[in-house]
C-alpha cells in the first residue's frame, strides 16, 4: 500500500474512513480480500510472506502498513506484512501494542504502520529510528515517507477525501474510487527526491500507477462506524492496470 488518506473520528457516521492504493510487483502472489479461514481477519493476503498490507479484525480494529522509499536503505529484517497480522490477531489495544512494538521495531524491514481500535489510533515507524505517535482526530495521509509528509500525491489525496466529506457523502464511495484511479502526475518542481531518479519520481507521483511489472494492485476503502460495524471494499488490478475483480465484505463486531 503506497497511498493512504483517512478521516479519524470526524465524520458524522464513520469513526474511521480510510481509502488507499497498494502498489506492488505484479509477480508477487496475493489473495483477494476475504474472511480468513485461520484467523478472525478480513483482508487480502500476501501469499509470499503470509501477512497483509491492510486488514480489519472481527472486533472492528484496522491496520495498514507501507514500506519506506529509500533505495539506499537495505530491505533487511522481518516482513512488514506480519506487523498488520500480529496486531489484528493480538490481544493488545492500539496503545499497548504501540508501546510494545517500539522495542522490536528495529527488527523489521523499513515500515510505516497505522493501527486503530475503538478509541485510539497510532502511527508507528522505524525510520530513521523507531517512534510512535497518537493520531489526532482529522484527515491524515501516508505514502512511502513519514506520517503526513506533504508529497504532492498525499496532499492531493487528502484534499479529495476532505471534499468527499464536505459533499455530505456517507455510502457513495464511487468518488473515492475515481480518485484512487487518478493517473495525473505531479509537476517536476513539486516532486520529492527519494533517490530513484526524476523519471521514476514522475511515474510514482500519480495516485494510480500503471506498469507491466510494478503498479497499483488494489484500491481499498474501509468504513467503520462508531459501533465497530462497517464495510471493506476492494478493487484489484493486474499488469498495465488491467481490472481483475472486486470484493465487498461487511464488518460485524463480535
Amino acid at each position: 500500500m503506497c497511498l493512504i488518506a483517512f478521516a479519524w473520528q470526524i465524520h458524522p457516521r464513520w469513526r474511521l474512513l480510510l481509502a488507499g492504493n497498494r502498489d506492488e510487483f505484479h509477480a508477487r502472489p496475493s489473495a483477494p480480500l476475504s474472511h480468513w479461514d485461520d484467523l478472525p481477519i478480513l483482508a487480502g493476503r500476501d501469499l509470499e510472506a503470509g501477512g497483509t498490507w491492510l486488514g480489519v479484525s472481527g472486533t472492528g480494529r484496522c491496520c495498514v502498513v507501507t514500506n519506506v522509499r529509500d533505495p539506499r536503505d537495505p530491505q533487511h529484517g522481518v516482513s512488514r506484512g506480519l506487523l498488520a497480522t500480529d496486531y489484528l490477531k493480538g490481544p493488545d489495544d492500539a496503545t499497548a501494542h504501540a508501546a510494545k512494538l517500539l522495542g522490536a521495531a528495529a527488527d523489521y524491514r523499513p515500515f510505516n504502520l497505522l493501527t486503530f481500535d475503538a478509541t485510539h489510533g497510532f502511527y508507528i515507524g522505524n525510520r530513521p529510528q523507531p517512534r510512535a505517535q497518537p493520531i489526532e482526530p482529522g484527515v491524515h495521509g501516508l505514502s512511502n515517507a513519514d506520517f503526513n509528509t506533504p508529497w504532492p500525491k498525499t496532499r492531493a489525496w487528502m484534499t479529495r477525501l476532505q471534499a468527499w466529506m464536505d459533499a455530505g457523502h456517507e455510502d457513495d464511495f464511487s468518488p473515492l474510487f475515481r480518485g484512487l484511479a487518478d493517473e495525473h502526475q505531479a509537476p517536476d518542481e513539486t516532486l520529492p527526491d527519494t533517490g530513484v531518479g526524476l523519471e521514476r519520481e514522475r511515474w510514482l507521483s500519480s495516485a494510480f500507477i500503471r506498469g507491466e511489472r510494478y503498479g497499483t494492485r488494489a484500491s481499498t476503502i474501509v468504513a467503520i462506524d462508531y459501533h465497530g460495524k462497517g464495510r471493506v471494499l476492494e478493487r484489484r488490478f493486474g499488469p498495465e492496470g488491467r481490472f481483475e475483480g472486486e470484493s465487498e465484505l461487511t464488518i460485524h463486531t463480535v
Side-chain angles (χ1 to χ4, degrees):
M1 181 77 69
C2 293
L3 178 62
I4 301 162
F6 65 91
W8 174 240
Q9 295 182 335
I10 59 169
H11 190 277
R13 179 175 178 185
W14 304 115
R15 178 180 74 212
L16 173 65
L17 192 288
L18 181 149
N21 278 342
R22 178 208 179 203
D23 304 326
E24 182 55 87
F25 287 100
H26 289 293
R28 189 173 181 118
S30 302
L33 172 69
S34 67
H35 291 273
W36 290 13
D37 294 333
D38 53 337
L39 292 169
I41 291 175
L42 291 70
R45 198 163 200 168
D46 174 23
L47 298 179
E48 185 171 302
T52 187
W53 52 95
L54 183 158
V56 178
S57 74
T59 57
R61 296 192 298 173
C62 182
C63 190
V64 188
V65 65
T66 78
N67 65 4
V68 177
R69 190 197 307 169
D70 185 350
R72 297 155 296 193
D73 194 338
Q75 297 291 312
H76 299 323
V78 182
S79 172
R80 287 176 289 265
L82 299 177
L83 288 164
T85 307
D86 289 346
Y87 171 66
L88 293 173
K89 72 179 183 181
D92 293 325
D93 61 19
T95 304
H97 170 268
K100 289 182 179 179
L101 180 55
L102 278 179
D107 297 336
Y108 290 84
R109 296 172 190 174
F111 74 84
N112 297 307
L113 187 72
L114 301 174
T115 59
F116 304 93
D117 61 23
T119 55
H120 295 92
F122 273 85
Y123 163 78
I124 307 107
N126 67 346
R127 291 298 187 275
Q129 62 273 328
R131 68 183 185 89
Q133 71 178 71
I135 298 173
E136 299 297 325
V139 173
H140 302 277
L142 181 66
S143 186
N144 300 109
D146 204 352
F147 185 51
N148 282 331
T149 294
W151 282 2
K153 66 189 294 181
T154 311
R155 288 199 312 266
W157 188 223
M158 291 168 64
T159 299
R160 292 187 82 149
L161 178 58
Q162 183 66 59
W164 183 87
M165 292 194 298
D166 292 343
H169 290 298
E170 287 193 0
D171 292 309
D172 181 9
F173 300 119
S174 56
L176 296 180
F177 276 121
R178 286 196 296 272
L180 290 170
D182 187 1
E183 297 185 54
H184 174 77
Q185 295 182 353
D188 287 355
E189 63 271 17
T190 68
L191 295 174
D193 181 5
T194 63
V196 299
L198 179 58
E199 184 176 355
R200 193 167 180 84
E201 294 286 7
R202 288 179 186 139
W203 181 51
L204 295 173
S205 71
S206 59
F208 189 94
I209 299 173
R210 186 183 298 270
E212 179 61 34
R213 297 181 60 248
Y214 179 91
T216 298
R217 297 281 303 274
S219 297
T220 308
I221 294 173
V222 177
I224 303 175
D225 68 17
Y226 292 88
H227 303 287
K229 300 179 180 179
R231 302 160 64 190
V232 185
L233 304 90
E234 178 187 83
R235 294 182 179 178
R236 295 177 294 280
F237 306 92
E240 298 296 349
R242 182 180 66 249
F243 181 71
E244 293 191 337
E246 59 186 312
S247 304
E248 178 176 345
L249 297 178
T250 301
I251 304 167
H252 295 290
T253 53
V254 295

